[in-house]
Structure formats: structure tokens, C-alpha cells
Amino acid sequence: MLELKNVTKTFNLTGNKEDLRVALDNVSLQIESGEFVTIIGGNGSGKSTTMNILTGVIKPDKGKVLLNDVDITEMDEHQRAGYFGHVFQDPMMGTSGDMSVLENLEIAYLRGRTHSPFKWGFKSSHKKEFIKELQRFDLGLEDRLNQKVGVMSGGQRQALTLLMATIRNKPTHKMIKRDYIKFSEKKPEVARKEFDDIYLPALEEYKRQLKNLKHLPKEIRKDKKAEFYEEFDKKVRQFDLTKQILLLDEHTAALDPKTAKKVLELTDKIVKENQMTTLMITHNMKDAITYGNRLIMFHMGHIIYDVKGEEKQKLTVEDLLKKFDEADKKAEQE
Amino acid sequence: MDFVNILFNILTSGLPCCLLAIGVFLTFRILDFADMTAEGSFLLGAALTASLIYNHINPFLATFLGMIVGAGCGLVTGFLNRILKIPKLLSGIITLTASASIAMLIMGITTPGQIFYSQVPLSLSSHQTIYSVFYSSKISASLAPFPWNKLVESLVMIVIVGIMIVTVYYFFGTEFGMAIRATGMNEKMAKSQGINTNISSIACVAISNALIGLAGALYVQDALSVSTVSATGYLVIGLASILIGEAIFGKRSFKNWLLSVSGGALLYFVIITIAIKLGLPTELMSLLYAILITIALCIPLFKLGINKLKTKLERGKEHVRT
């Protein structure tokens, strides 16, 4: 669960007191895991600021950001990156133009991990997985793995960014333990003990199984080893709490209508397949209604409308426009 | 023999500058950081190595320490820029300014009773360098006038430069190396992909200046003297090498780019040597540097012009045919 608690953010770009601009005014928001939230609102209403506060690009003046009830307000952007996938409006922003498709994907695969100066950055096992993922996109990117991203079209780059934001290397056992202790509802000591109670015997057993394999011929040994590892791995993975949250900041705004539609459909497909918690900012009210299962409307740093489930499905563009007008009138009266 | 001598002169002065060029390349091109520290770390690397050798410390250790002091300069610049948020150009200039005094302080250890000193003269008869370790007076005498010692020197340099190029190539293919490249190309993306851009930037500047410090150490053991005045102008040489190398050998892949830059450094010294042989007075050297850089920067434009001319000519031919 992702939560904003009484968040306030004021921008003061010139240092002049009269130029203060309140981007978010005491905003609280709770997003359950698995929700696909579409966010609409005028320019400067605080949509992007909300997203940037969630990912840690900017820090709030007041208030807290909670992930699974753990305060992450003070965590830096790169420390949180393992939990968030962020797609920006500008297609140039999310990829590195001078690096190849493969290199970009490897960077994404390392998200949330330490970057070792001794481990080689490319692994052939990853490459197979990337090709498999890229084939689903049907943009011909799988044949252009070694091409620089800079020569590709905006649509292709944005699709790649989307993949980079959603692809995730399986967390290591160490990471699972760290996140379990941090984000489970139990007390840290309890969580640690619980993890170790399962992990240590499993590891012990796996080692024992490996020992027994020694006398077997090489080919069988390899298969058996993989089998045993899978069994061991499965026991540890049940503790895997961290699910990626996908943040989409008008990610189709800079694309032509046809490509935009394609990227949106891809987004929807990926989100549904992986049951990802997703926040999507859009200026297209039709998209905001069509996609997702919750809709939030921002206006001048406040959330003025929040609708879920069936009620959301009944919404029409006219309803939303009416809401905007009401909000505008109310603001004028004040 | 004149040609052989010239060749070895180019090699012995060009090879240290390969490392210098790669060092400047790492900040200038990979990290997109106009790093003025280069000048300072070159001087400090040269000064420290010379001073240590003057005091009869193992030349290999001295060279290594020259490299470390370069890395130290880079760390300071990186710290100024990333942690204290001083603009890139200024933080380099700050380190560069400080390094002149520190170099004099270091060179002061060569003269008893002095705290500061502005130069260190070495002599092969009393001091051992990483090249002179491998000299052999017997072979040298029997092969005279062939410059055997220069050959040995070039070989030692080639080995060191080769090792460094391979190391840099592999390092930038590791996970951390890729993180550094991503930081230089798109910092916003790097951050959102979980890269600690402060650490990767500072590390890159440090590595870059370590190479430049090593270049200084190699240079001083060839030139056998260093002073605060003689070790200047090297940033320009590094930049010129990058531009010449890119324009002539291309930058298709990282490997190609790295080799182009080192090739550029050698080519640069070929041009300079030819200019001197043609009788260009040394006072005009700076002018030549400036012209060289301008030409190297304009080569893409020339290429474009030639292509345009070609298409024009072809069109003209078609016109005649029809």
C-alpha cells in the first residue's frame, strides 16, 4: 500500500515571497496494492508534483510518504528506485540515447541493486529474457538490440521506457530479507526470525542435496542442481513483498495518436498481467475513464474527486467536465 | 637514424598523452563534465613521482602514488561539484588552482631546508625510473647509434598504456561502469533507475584524474624534470587528441571510441613533430594548437560539404545524360 499523508509542497523559484506557488496543499491519498489509478487535472494542479514526491525526485515541505506503512519520505530517489518504475512524458527522458537497447535494459534490470564494479554488465541469460519481452511489444525492437536508442523514434523509445519501468530482475535472497524486515507488518526482530527460520534450514538442505550429487555424472548433476535450487528458491520467494509500482506521467502525450494508442494498450496489458499498482496521469479524459479502476481529479493542489469501481465505470467525459467547471467556479468565489 | 629517433620521440611523448587523452575523454565525453582538474592532476602526478624518485623510492611505487594523487585531485573536484554543489567548471578550476601550491609543497621535499620548491631535476646516473630499470648498457653500446634505451622506454609505456586501456574498457562494461555511462548521458534516467549519481560521478572524475596523474608520472620519467611551468597546457593536448581521434578514427562503439582517442594523442604528436621539423618556431606552438583544434572540430562540417558536393556532381551527370 502506498500512502501520502498531509503532504504540502510549495515552490518558490525566484526567492521572492510573492512568487510562492502552492503545488500541493495538505493532500492525503491512499492507494491499495493492485489498484490502477488514473489521475486528471489542469496544468499546475499538482499531479506531477504528487508523482515526483512519491518517487523522491522532490521532497515534500510537510507530510509523509508511506510504503506499506513504512515512512520513506527521507529516502533518496535512487534508494526508492527499486520499488518504483517511472515513465516520463518526454520520450528522451527515460532512456539513454547513446547506449544500446541492450545496455538500457541491463541498467533497468539492475534497478534497486548495488552496481558492482567487478561484475560484467551483460549476461546472455538476460538477453534471452529481453528478447522475449520485446517480442510482445511487436515494434521490431528485438532485432535491434545493439542499436543505439538515440536513432529510434519517440514511440519506440517510450515503449522501451515502459518496458524498462516494468521489467524487473528477480530480487536476490538478501534483498528479499531486507525488504521483508523493512516492509512486513511484523516487528523487525520477529520478521527477521521468521525469515531465518525458513531460510536457514532450506539453505542447509540445499547444500546437503548438492553434496549428495557429487557422485552422479555431470549431465544429471546439472539438471538436478537446477531442480533443487528452484525448490530452495521457491521457499525464499514466499517472503518477497516488494511489488513494483508503476508511475506514468503523461507518457503518451508526446506521441502521435496511433502510437499513443498502441503504447496505452501495451501499458494496460502489462499492468493487468503483472497486477501492478499503477498511477497514470493523463490529459485525455476518455483514457482516464477507459483505463484503470480508480480515478482521481486534482485541482489547484487539492484532490477534488476520487471515484472507484462501478461508479467510475459509469462516468462520462461530460461528468468530468462538469466537475472541472464546478471546481473553477468554487475557486473563483473564494 | 634520424627517422628512428623521431619515431621514438613521438612514441615516448605521445604514449603518456594517450592516458591523458583517455582521462580527459572519460570526463569530457562519458560524464559530460568539462573537467579543468586535468591540468592540476597531471602536474601533481608528475611532481610527486619526480620528488619520490629523487628521494630514491622505488620508481614503480612512485608511479603508482602519482596515479593515486591524481585520483585524489579528482575526488576533491567531484566532492566540490556533487556534494558542495559548486558548478562543474568552477570546481575544476578550484582544484587546479590549489594544485599549483600543493605541487610546490611536494617538490619542497627534494631540497633540505626548503618548504617550497618549484622544480625537480632528475638524472639517470643517480636516479632510477621505471624505464631505466630495464636499460642495459651492454646492449645499448653494441647497438649504437640505434636508440635502444628509447625502444625500451617505448615498450614499457606501451605495456602500461595497453593495460590501462584494457582495464578501462572492461571497467566501463561492468555494472558500475554502465551506471557511470548512464549518469553522464541522462542523469534523470540514471536516478530513476536507482543509480546513486553522486557516487558514480565522483568515481568517474577520480578514475579520469588517476589516469591523468599516471600520464604525468610517465611523462616526468621521460622528460627527467618537472617544474610548475613546464607541466602546463596538457588539458588542451588532451582535448585536441580527443577531437582529432574522433574526427579521424570515429566513435562507433565504446571500444572504437577509446582506441580513437588514444590514436588521436599519437597523431597529435606526429603533427607537432612534423611542424617542428618544418621549422616552426616554438613560440608559434600555441597558435598551432588552436588551429589544430579548430580543424578537428570542423572535420564533420568538411565531410558534410564533401557529401553535398558529391551529390551535386552526380545530379549534374544525370542531368547531362537526360
Side-chain angles (χ1 to χ4, degrees), chain B residues 255-275:
Chain B
K255 200 198 288 177
N256 172 251
W257 212 351
L258 212 56
L259 293 175
S260 296
V261 167
S262 352
L266 290 177
L267 204 61
Y268 176 86
F269 278 93
V270 170
I271 297 170
I272 298 294
T273 315
I274 290 172

Side-chain angles (χ1 to χ4, degrees), chain A residues 77-78 81 92-96 98-99 103-104 106-108 110-111 114-117 119-121 164, chain B residues 169-171 173-176 178-179 181-182 185-186 188-189 191-197 251-252 257:
Chain A
E77 187 187 0
H78 65 88
M92 307 298 145
M93 217 62 251
T95 47
S96 174
D98 264 356
M99 291 169 106
E103 285 171 316
N104 270 292
E106 285 285 0
I107 291 275
L110 286 170
R111 189 171 59 234
T114 46
H115 296 79
S116 158
K119 275 190 205 147
W120 190 235
M164 285 171 68
Chain B
Y169 174 68
Y170 277 97
F171 176 75
T174 62
E175 292 174 0
F176 190 61
M178 283 210 301
R181 286 164 62 200
M185 282 162 198
N186 187 345
K188 202 170 166 187
M189 169 261 197
K191 267 190 192 162
S192 77
Q193 294 295 347
I195 293 165
N196 189 338
T197 48
K251 44 175 184 177
R252 290 178 295 280
W257 212 351

